[in-house]
Amino acid sequence: MAVFMDLNLSSSPSVRNLIESAAQLGFSTVAINYVFEPSKKKQEIPTPTPITELMDQLPVVQGRSRPIRVLNRLTVVMSDSSHFRPNAAEYRSFDLLAVQPTTEKLFHAACLLYDVDIICISVTEKLPFFFKRAPVSGAVDRGVVFEVSYSAAIRDSTMRRYTIANAVCLMESCKGRNVILSSAAEKALELRGPYDVTNLGLLFGLSDKDSKEAVSSTCRSVLLHAEIRKTASGIIYTMKSCSDSCDQQEAPPQSEHCEAPAAKKHKTASTEAEGGGAY
């Protein structure tokens, strides 16, 4: 049985209703999306809200006996290359990292250089550039996925045209590979079930197989890519294990007559033996 995911739920005040509705529709995993726009003045990187503060108990997924899995995601809207800081400590608080480039140059950099999990395609306006196959293929080879959201097409007919046009343009370049479909819903009424979303994928130019993978296996690949990104290709994983109290403890003072290392004691004993034999 396929495991369905929606990796873009808006961090709106109704996020609790969104999570409950997603569980009722059959989504096993969702991600709460926090949007960061550095171009706006006095805006700082948001801090994810712990799930325990959002709801006391996670709802059970429809058709399954396990609760829904809730992740945190950060999306950086880029209008300049300095807006993305790959080594920022604030990024580590999020499970998924996404960027939404607004220019062709930034789109190429996101595809070929930036260490991210998702590249968002704008659906609220006509893109000022065309998707070229070389950078798109580079992103596919690196395991980065492209995201098309559908809730804007539900809200407004003009955005519906932009969503379909931009999605079809993307599919012509990537051939349906490494594409995920998500809601970006702000209200529970904007959510659609997994099989409805796959039908939307057909409208966007995806094949039947790619549409199903866009809400299941490709989303699972995103989670795996995020784990590899945070663990240095799966080799090293760092975590803070010392408490604040341990950090405040001072090292014990060393005695003036501390015992010498074993190797040094052996060397000293040999020197004294040679000196004793000279008399």
Side-chain angles (χ1 to χ4, degrees):
M1 185 177 180
V3 177
F4 300 112
M5 305 182 189
D6 188 342
L7 299 183
N8 190 347
L9 296 183
S10 177
S11 57
S12 61
S14 59
V15 64
R16 178 172 180 174
N17 294 333
L18 287 172
I19 296 174
E20 293 175 349
S21 299
Q24 293 175 1
L25 290 172
F27 289 101
S28 299
T29 302
V30 295
I32 302 175
N33 186 28
Y34 296 83
V35 180
F36 173 52
E37 299 185 45
S39 59
K40 293 184 177 181
K41 296 181 179 180
K42 298 181 180 180
Q43 184 175 9
E44 299 180 353
I45 299 177
T47 302
T49 304
I51 189 60
T52 54
E53 296 183 8
L54 294 176
M55 49 179 49
D56 298 331
Q57 186 175 3
L58 292 174
V60 177
V61 180
Q62 180 71 25
R64 294 178 177 270
S65 58
R66 64 184 66 178
I68 192 172
R69 182 185 181 190
V70 181
L71 306 175
N72 292 316
R73 160 185 163 176
L74 176 67
T75 299
V76 182
V77 181
M78 299 175 53
S79 57
D80 188 82
S81 59
S82 61
H83 291 166
F84 179 74
R85 297 179 293 160
N87 298 323
E90 294 84 354
Y91 291 176
R92 301 172 187 171
S93 302
F94 297 89
D95 301 299
L96 303 175
L97 183 59
V99 293
Q100 182 177 328
T102 57
T103 65
E104 184 176 11
K105 183 178 180 180
L106 293 175
F107 179 78
H108 290 181
C111 290
L112 302 175
L113 300 176
Y114 294 161
D115 191 13
V116 296
D117 307 311
I118 303 171
I119 299 177
C120 305
I121 306 302
S122 176
V123 294
T124 58
E125 60 183 358
K126 186 177 180 180
L127 290 174
F129 58 90
F130 294 99
F131 298 108
K132 295 183 179 180
R133 188 162 298 179
V136 171
S137 299
V140 172
D141 295 339
R142 294 173 58 230
V144 181
V145 305
F146 301 96
E147 179 191 59
V148 178
S149 56
Y150 61 82
S151 63
I154 299 175
R155 302 189 198 109
D156 185 81
S157 59
T158 303
M159 293 184 183
R160 188 179 307 131
R161 292 197 299 269
Y162 291 147
T163 301
I164 296 175
N166 295 346
V168 170
C169 183
L170 173 65
M171 304 313 164
E172 292 176 353
S173 298
C174 69
K175 303 300 180 183
R177 297 179 299 167
N178 284 37
V179 175
I180 64 173
L181 301 177
S182 58
S183 65
E186 298 177 358
K187 303 176 182 178
L189 291 176
E190 296 173 351
L191 279 172
R192 295 297 181 267
Y195 296 103
D196 293 333
V197 178
T198 57
N199 290 332
L200 284 174
L202 300 177
L203 183 63
F204 294 157
L206 289 170
S207 65
D208 184 60
K209 177 184 176 182
D210 292 335
S211 294
K212 294 177 181 178
E213 292 179 349
V215 292
S216 57
S217 59
T218 307
C219 295
R220 188 163 60 247
S221 300
V222 175
L223 303 185
L224 179 61
H225 184 273
E227 290 295 331
I228 293 176
R229 173 179 55 82
K230 293 189 295 183
T231 58
S233 299
I235 300 174
I236 300 174
Y237 178 75
T238 60
M239 61 180 297
K240 185 177 180 180
S241 59
C242 295
S243 60
D244 296 338
S245 59
C246 293
D247 295 337
Q248 295 175 356
Q249 290 180 355
E250 297 180 356
Q254 295 183 356
S255 173
E256 295 180 358
H257 304 285
C258 59
E259 189 175 0
K264 193 171 182 179
K265 287 194 299 182
H266 177 72
K267 184 176 181 180
T268 305
S270 301
T271 305
E272 291 177 355
E274 293 175 358
Y279 286 102

